[in-house]
Amino acid sequence: MTDTRALDTRALATGAIDTEADRALKAKHRAMWALGDYPTLAAEIIADLGLALVRASAMRPGDRVLDVAAGAGNAAIPAALAGSRVVASDLTPELLEHGQRQAAARGAELEWHVADAEALPYADGEFDTVVSCVGVMFAPHHQVAADELVRVCRPGGTIALLSWTPSGFIGQMFATMKPFAPAPPPGAQPPPLWGTEDHVRTLLGDRVTDTTATREHLTVDHFGQPEEFRDYFKARYGPTIAVYRAIADDPEKVAALDRDLADLARRHDRGTTTTSMQWEYLLFTARKNP
C-alpha cells in the first residue's frame, strides 16, 4: 500500500515528473474525488459499466485481479462476486471506504488499497488481469500510468480498460467545462484521450498483443429534464463541483456554465417523456506479451 506521496521512481529518475509538483497535484486530485458523492453517482448512473468490463476481460474464478483507480468498486465488486481474487486500489480513501461498505452488503470479499495509479505498490507481473473502469484515464501522466498497468500484469495476462471517449457525452462535458476551469498543470493530459484507440495503442506499444477496441454506449435515462442532469452532477461529481468552486465568485460564469451543461444534455437527449442519452465509451482489451 502507498499514499498520495507515492511517486513513480522510474519517471522521477528521468526527470519526467517534478516531485513536489506531483505531490501537490495528487493531493488535489484526491480531494477533488472526495467532493460530492461519486459512489452514489456510480451506483445510480454507470453501474452497468463495471460488469461490462469484467465480462470483456474474460477473467476466471481464482484469477488475481487488480482494479486500478477503482473508486468505490464499480468493477472490483462484480469481479470478486464472480470468484476472482481482487485488489481494488484508488488514490482517494473516502471512495474505498464506501466501496468496503458496499462489498460487505453484497457479500463480496476483496482487498482495498490506497494507491497511486502512477506508482502502483505491487511487484512486476503480480496480477493475471489488470482493469480500470473510467478510472486510470484521470491519472495526469498517461504514459506513466500505462507503464504501471503493463508492469504489474503477468506475461500473457489481460489488460482491460473502459474509458469515456472525447466525442461522447462525458468527453463533451469536460470540453464544456474546460473554459471555466483553471489551467491544468504542465504535463497533465486530458482524461478523454484514453477513449481514443490510437492513444491507448501508443501508450501500451509493442508490449501487448491480441488487442481489441470497440466503441459502446451506455443508455442514461435517469433524468427527467436536462437541468436535472446538470444539478445532479453539480452536487455529486467531483470534477464538476471543482469547476463550480473555481468560478463561485463570478455569478455570470456560473450562469453561463449552468446554461452550457443543460444545453449539452439537451443536444444529446433522444427521449420523449424523460431525458435519454447515449454516453459513448471505448472498451479496450489486450494481452501482455508472454
Side-chain angles (χ1 to χ4, degrees):
M1 294 175 60
T2 188
D3 57 26
T4 57
R5 296 173 298 176
L7 299 168
D8 190 307
T9 55
R10 291 163 296 282
L12 290 173
T14 64
I17 299 175
D18 177 81
T19 306
E20 294 304 320
D22 189 72
R23 287 175 179 166
L25 178 59
K26 298 300 171 57
K28 183 177 180 181
H29 274 219
R30 171 179 171 173
M32 178 184 72
W33 286 106
L35 295 172
D37 188 358
Y38 183 73
T40 295
L41 185 155
E44 293 182 346
I45 309 298
I46 64 170
D48 290 346
L49 297 185
L51 186 56
L53 183 60
V54 169
R55 289 171 175 166
S57 71
M59 61 182 67
R60 298 167 298 183
D63 280 357
R64 181 76 163 156
V65 175
L66 174 65
D67 186 359
V68 179
N74 199 23
I77 293 174
L81 290 172
S84 296
R85 296 176 295 135
V86 182
V87 173
S89 68
D90 198 275
L91 189 67
T92 304
E94 292 87 346
L95 298 182
L96 297 179
E97 290 166 5
H98 192 102
Q100 286 178 295
R101 293 192 294 271
Q102 282 192 26
R106 296 175 63 180
E109 295 184 4
L110 60 158
E111 299 176 44
W112 301 86
H113 297 172
V114 178
D116 184 346
E118 297 181 2
L120 295 171
Y122 308 111
D124 295 357
E126 186 170 340
F127 297 93
D128 300 299
T129 304
V130 179
V131 303
S132 188
C133 184
V134 294
V136 75
M137 64 181 290
F138 292 99
H141 309 107
H142 293 187
Q143 190 61 65
V144 176
D147 291 348
E148 285 293 89
L149 297 176
V150 175
R151 181 184 66 79
V152 300
C153 185
R154 69 165 173 81
T158 298
I159 298 171
L161 308 169
L162 192 154
S163 308
W164 301 120
T165 65
S167 58
F169 181 82
I170 296 296
Q172 289 301 299
M173 185 187 75
F174 276 94
T176 299
M177 296 191 300
K178 183 177 179 180
F180 301 91
Q189 294 175 278
L193 279 178
W194 281 87
T196 304
E197 179 181 346
D198 288 347
H199 184 66
V200 181
R201 290 188 184 278
T202 299
L203 292 175
L204 300 179
D206 60 5
R207 298 171 295 181
V208 299
T209 187
D210 298 338
T211 59
T212 67
T214 59
R215 290 180 177 236
E216 308 285 350
H217 292 86
L218 174 72
T219 299
V220 177
D221 53 12
H222 185 81
F223 310 106
Q225 299 295 329
E227 289 76 13
E228 291 181 29
F229 150 76
R230 177 200 64 208
D231 294 342
Y232 186 96
F233 269 63
K234 281 178 68 174
R236 292 170 177 82
Y237 193 56
T240 303
I241 296 170
V243 172
Y244 272 98
R245 287 190 175 187
I247 61 174
D249 294 334
D250 191 329
E252 290 186 1
K253 287 186 176 180
V254 170
L257 183 54
D258 276 349
R259 180 192 64 241
D260 290 352
L261 287 176
D263 286 348
L264 174 68
R266 192 169 289 109
R267 290 196 301 273
H268 282 259
D269 179 18
R270 299 183 179 184
T272 52
T273 57
T274 63
T275 298
S276 180
M277 298 176 280
Q278 297 288 302
W279 292 6
E280 186 182 64
Y281 59 88
L282 179 73
L283 189 56
F284 190 97
T285 64
R287 184 168 63 90
K288 183 176 175 179
N289 289 336

PDB file of all heavy atoms in Angstrom, residues 197-214:
ATOM      1  N   GLU A 197      -8.673   5.118 -29.458  1.00  0.00           N
ATOM      2  CA  GLU A 197      -7.984   3.845 -29.676  1.00  0.00           C
ATOM      3  C   GLU A 197      -6.501   4.031 -29.980  1.00  0.00           C
ATOM      4  O   GLU A 197      -5.647   3.339 -29.414  1.00  0.00           O
ATOM      5  CB  GLU A 197      -8.650   3.078 -30.809  1.00  0.00           C
ATOM      6  CG  GLU A 197      -7.999   1.747 -31.127  1.00  0.00           C
ATOM      7  CD  GLU A 197      -8.665   1.024 -32.278  1.00  0.00           C
ATOM      8  OE1 GLU A 197      -9.788   1.417 -32.659  1.00  0.00           O
ATOM      9  OE2 GLU A 197      -8.052   0.069 -32.796  1.00  0.00           O
ATOM     10  N   ASP A 198      -6.176   4.959 -30.877  1.00  0.00           N
ATOM     11  CA  ASP A 198      -4.781   5.164 -31.251  1.00  0.00           C
ATOM     12  C   ASP A 198      -3.933   5.590 -30.049  1.00  0.00           C
ATOM     13  O   ASP A 198      -2.767   5.188 -29.930  1.00  0.00           O
ATOM     14  CB  ASP A 198      -4.667   6.211 -32.358  1.00  0.00           C
ATOM     15  CG  ASP A 198      -5.148   5.697 -33.706  1.00  0.00           C
ATOM     16  OD1 ASP A 198      -5.332   4.474 -33.841  1.00  0.00           O
ATOM     17  OD2 ASP A 198      -5.346   6.526 -34.617  1.00  0.00           O
ATOM     18  N   HIS A 199      -4.506   6.391 -29.180  1.00  0.00           N
ATOM     19  CA  HIS A 199      -3.772   6.857 -27.997  1.00  0.00           C
ATOM     20  C   HIS A 199      -3.437   5.686 -27.080  1.00  0.00           C
ATOM     21  O   HIS A 199      -2.296   5.560 -26.611  1.00  0.00           O
ATOM     22  CB  HIS A 199      -4.609   7.897 -27.250  1.00  0.00           C
ATOM     23  CG  HIS A 199      -3.914   8.512 -26.074  1.00  0.00           C
ATOM     24  ND1 HIS A 199      -2.801   9.310 -26.185  1.00  0.00           N
ATOM     25  CD2 HIS A 199      -4.180   8.447 -24.737  1.00  0.00           C
ATOM     26  CE1 HIS A 199      -2.404   9.710 -24.995  1.00  0.00           C
ATOM     27  NE2 HIS A 199      -3.220   9.191 -24.092  1.00  0.00           N
ATOM     28  N   VAL A 200      -4.403   4.815 -26.834  1.00  0.00           N
ATOM     29  CA  VAL A 200      -4.166   3.678 -25.949  1.00  0.00           C
ATOM     30  C   VAL A 200      -3.162   2.710 -26.582  1.00  0.00           C
ATOM     31  O   VAL A 200      -2.276   2.181 -25.894  1.00  0.00           O
ATOM     32  CB  VAL A 200      -5.487   2.956 -25.614  1.00  0.00           C
ATOM     33  CG1 VAL A 200      -5.233   1.781 -24.672  1.00  0.00           C
ATOM     34  CG2 VAL A 200      -6.476   3.925 -24.975  1.00  0.00           C
ATOM     35  N   ARG A 201      -3.289   2.485 -27.877  1.00  0.00           N
ATOM     36  CA  ARG A 201      -2.318   1.612 -28.549  1.00  0.00           C
ATOM     37  C   ARG A 201      -0.905   2.175 -28.441  1.00  0.00           C
ATOM     38  O   ARG A 201       0.063   1.424 -28.240  1.00  0.00           O
ATOM     39  CB  ARG A 201      -2.706   1.435 -30.013  1.00  0.00           C
ATOM     40  CG  ARG A 201      -3.965   0.607 -30.228  1.00  0.00           C
ATOM     41  CD  ARG A 201      -4.188   0.314 -31.699  1.00  0.00           C
ATOM     42  NE  ARG A 201      -5.433  -0.395 -31.928  1.00  0.00           N
ATOM     43  CZ  ARG A 201      -5.593  -1.712 -31.787  1.00  0.00           C
ATOM     44  NH1 ARG A 201      -4.554  -2.454 -31.438  1.00  0.00           N
ATOM     45  NH2 ARG A 201      -6.757  -2.283 -32.017  1.00  0.00           N
ATOM     46  N   THR A 202      -0.779   3.485 -28.567  1.00  0.00           N
ATOM     47  CA  THR A 202       0.537   4.112 -28.441  1.00  0.00           C
ATOM     48  C   THR A 202       1.078   3.970 -27.022  1.00  0.00           C
ATOM     49  O   THR A 202       2.263   3.680 -26.818  1.00  0.00           O
ATOM     50  CB  THR A 202       0.462   5.596 -28.833  1.00  0.00           C
ATOM     51  OG1 THR A 202       0.050   5.701 -30.205  1.00  0.00           O
ATOM     52  CG2 THR A 202       1.812   6.283 -28.662  1.00  0.00           C
ATOM     53  N   LEU A 203       0.216   4.153 -26.032  1.00  0.00           N
ATOM     54  CA  LEU A 203       0.649   4.048 -24.637  1.00  0.00           C
ATOM     55  C   LEU A 203       1.151   2.644 -24.305  1.00  0.00           C
ATOM     56  O   LEU A 203       2.169   2.480 -23.628  1.00  0.00           O
ATOM     57  CB  LEU A 203      -0.508   4.412 -23.703  1.00  0.00           C
ATOM     58  CG  LEU A 203      -0.988   5.861 -23.697  1.00  0.00           C
ATOM     59  CD1 LEU A 203      -2.219   5.999 -22.816  1.00  0.00           C
ATOM     60  CD2 LEU A 203       0.116   6.810 -23.220  1.00  0.00           C
ATOM     61  N   LEU A 204       0.445   1.637 -24.771  1.00  0.00           N
ATOM     62  CA  LEU A 204       0.808   0.251 -24.448  1.00  0.00           C
ATOM     63  C   LEU A 204       1.891  -0.284 -25.377  1.00  0.00           C
ATOM     64  O   LEU A 204       2.679  -1.153 -24.991  1.00  0.00           O
ATOM     65  CB  LEU A 204      -0.431  -0.641 -24.505  1.00  0.00           C
ATOM     66  CG  LEU A 204      -1.565  -0.264 -23.541  1.00  0.00           C
ATOM     67  CD1 LEU A 204      -2.739  -1.211 -23.718  1.00  0.00           C
ATOM     68  CD2 LEU A 204      -1.101  -0.251 -22.096  1.00  0.00           C
ATOM     69  N   GLY A 205       1.934   0.235 -26.596  1.00  0.00           N
ATOM     70  CA  GLY A 205       3.003  -0.094 -27.527  1.00  0.00           C
ATOM     71  C   GLY A 205       3.072  -1.566 -27.885  1.00  0.00           C
ATOM     72  O   GLY A 205       2.063  -2.287 -27.897  1.00  0.00           O
ATOM     73  N   ASP A 206       4.300  -2.019 -28.147  1.00  0.00           N
ATOM     74  CA  ASP A 206       4.502  -3.402 -28.578  1.00  0.00           C
ATOM     75  C   ASP A 206       4.640  -4.372 -27.406  1.00  0.00           C
ATOM     76  O   ASP A 206       5.040  -5.523 -27.588  1.00  0.00           O
ATOM     77  CB  ASP A 206       5.723  -3.504 -29.485  1.00  0.00           C
ATOM     78  CG  ASP A 206       7.014  -3.043 -28.806  1.00  0.00           C
ATOM     79  OD1 ASP A 206       6.975  -2.726 -27.592  1.00  0.00           O
ATOM     80  OD2 ASP A 206       8.053  -2.988 -29.490  1.00  0.00           O
ATOM     81  N   ARG A 207       4.279  -3.915 -26.226  1.00  0.00           N
ATOM     82  CA  ARG A 207       4.332  -4.777 -25.051  1.00  0.00           C
ATOM     83  C   ARG A 207       3.092  -5.665 -24.924  1.00  0.00           C
ATOM     84  O   ARG A 207       3.028  -6.531 -24.056  1.00  0.00           O
ATOM     85  CB  ARG A 207       4.509  -3.938 -23.783  1.00  0.00           C
ATOM     86  CG  ARG A 207       5.804  -3.149 -23.769  1.00  0.00           C
ATOM     87  CD  ARG A 207       5.843  -2.163 -22.619  1.00  0.00           C
ATOM     88  NE  ARG A 207       4.827  -1.113 -22.754  1.00  0.00           N
ATOM     89  CZ  ARG A 207       4.664  -0.120 -21.890  1.00  0.00           C
ATOM     90  NH1 ARG A 207       5.429  -0.053 -20.816  1.00  0.00           N
ATOM     91  NH2 ARG A 207       3.732   0.809 -22.093  1.00  0.00           N
ATOM     92  N   VAL A 208       2.096  -5.406 -25.775  1.00  0.00           N
ATOM     93  CA  VAL A 208       0.854  -6.177 -25.727  1.00  0.00           C
ATOM     94  C   VAL A 208       0.515  -6.702 -27.118  1.00  0.00           C
ATOM     95  O   VAL A 208       1.012  -6.213 -28.134  1.00  0.00           O
ATOM     96  CB  VAL A 208      -0.316  -5.326 -25.191  1.00  0.00           C
ATOM     97  CG1 VAL A 208      -0.029  -4.839 -23.774  1.00  0.00           C
ATOM     98  CG2 VAL A 208      -0.612  -4.147 -26.120  1.00  0.00           C
ATOM     99  N   THR A 209      -0.371  -7.690 -27.134  1.00  0.00           N
ATOM    100  CA  THR A 209      -0.832  -8.282 -28.382  1.00  0.00           C
ATOM    101  C   THR A 209      -2.316  -8.610 -28.234  1.00  0.00           C
ATOM    102  O   THR A 209      -2.915  -8.387 -27.181  1.00  0.00           O
ATOM    103  CB  THR A 209      -0.020  -9.549 -28.713  1.00  0.00           C
ATOM    104  OG1 THR A 209      -0.377 -10.009 -30.010  1.00  0.00           O
ATOM    105  CG2 THR A 209      -0.255 -10.646 -27.683  1.00  0.00           C
ATOM    106  N   ASP A 210      -2.922  -9.142 -29.289  1.00  0.00           N
ATOM    107  CA  ASP A 210      -4.334  -9.552 -29.263  1.00  0.00           C
ATOM    108  C   ASP A 210      -5.242  -8.423 -28.773  1.00  0.00           C
ATOM    109  O   ASP A 210      -6.127  -8.633 -27.931  1.00  0.00           O
ATOM    110  CB  ASP A 210      -4.524 -10.787 -28.382  1.00  0.00           C
ATOM    111  CG  ASP A 210      -3.761 -11.989 -28.910  1.00  0.00           C
ATOM    112  OD1 ASP A 210      -3.441 -12.014 -30.109  1.00  0.00           O
ATOM    113  OD2 ASP A 210      -3.468 -12.903 -28.109  1.00  0.00           O
ATOM    114  N   THR A 211      -5.022  -7.230 -29.283  1.00  0.00           N
ATOM    115  CA  THR A 211      -5.799  -6.090 -28.828  1.00  0.00           C
ATOM    116  C   THR A 211      -7.171  -6.048 -29.499  1.00  0.00           C
ATOM    117  O   THR A 211      -7.328  -6.439 -30.662  1.00  0.00           O
ATOM    118  CB  THR A 211      -5.068  -4.769 -29.107  1.00  0.00           C
ATOM    119  OG1 THR A 211      -4.833  -4.651 -30.518  1.00  0.00           O
ATOM    120  CG2 THR A 211      -3.746  -4.722 -28.369  1.00  0.00           C
ATOM    121  N   THR A 212      -8.150  -5.570 -28.744  1.00  0.00           N
ATOM    122  CA  THR A 212      -9.482  -5.297 -29.287  1.00  0.00           C
ATOM    123  C   THR A 212      -9.916  -3.922 -28.794  1.00  0.00           C
ATOM    124  O   THR A 212      -9.609  -3.536 -27.658  1.00  0.00           O
ATOM    125  CB  THR A 212     -10.521  -6.336 -28.857  1.00  0.00           C
ATOM    126  OG1 THR A 212     -10.748  -6.228 -27.441  1.00  0.00           O
ATOM    127  CG2 THR A 212     -10.070  -7.750 -29.190  1.00  0.00           C
ATOM    128  N   ALA A 213     -10.626  -3.206 -29.631  1.00  0.00           N
ATOM    129  CA  ALA A 213     -11.125  -1.887 -29.255  1.00  0.00           C
ATOM    130  C   ALA A 213     -12.504  -1.696 -29.867  1.00  0.00           C
ATOM    131  O   ALA A 213     -12.669  -1.771 -31.089  1.00  0.00           O
ATOM    132  CB  ALA A 213     -10.176  -0.797 -29.738  1.00  0.00           C
ATOM    133  N   THR A 214     -13.500  -1.489 -29.021  1.00  0.00           N
ATOM    134  CA  THR A 214     -14.865  -1.285 -29.504  1.00  0.00           C
ATOM    135  C   THR A 214     -15.463  -0.065 -28.819  1.00  0.00           C
ATOM    136  O   THR A 214     -15.211   0.189 -27.637  1.00  0.00           O
ATOM    137  CB  THR A 214     -15.754  -2.506 -29.227  1.00  0.00           C
ATOM    138  OG1 THR A 214     -15.789  -2.766 -27.810  1.00  0.00           O
ATOM    139  CG2 THR A 214     -15.238  -3.729 -29.958  1.00  0.00           C
TER     140      THR A 214
END
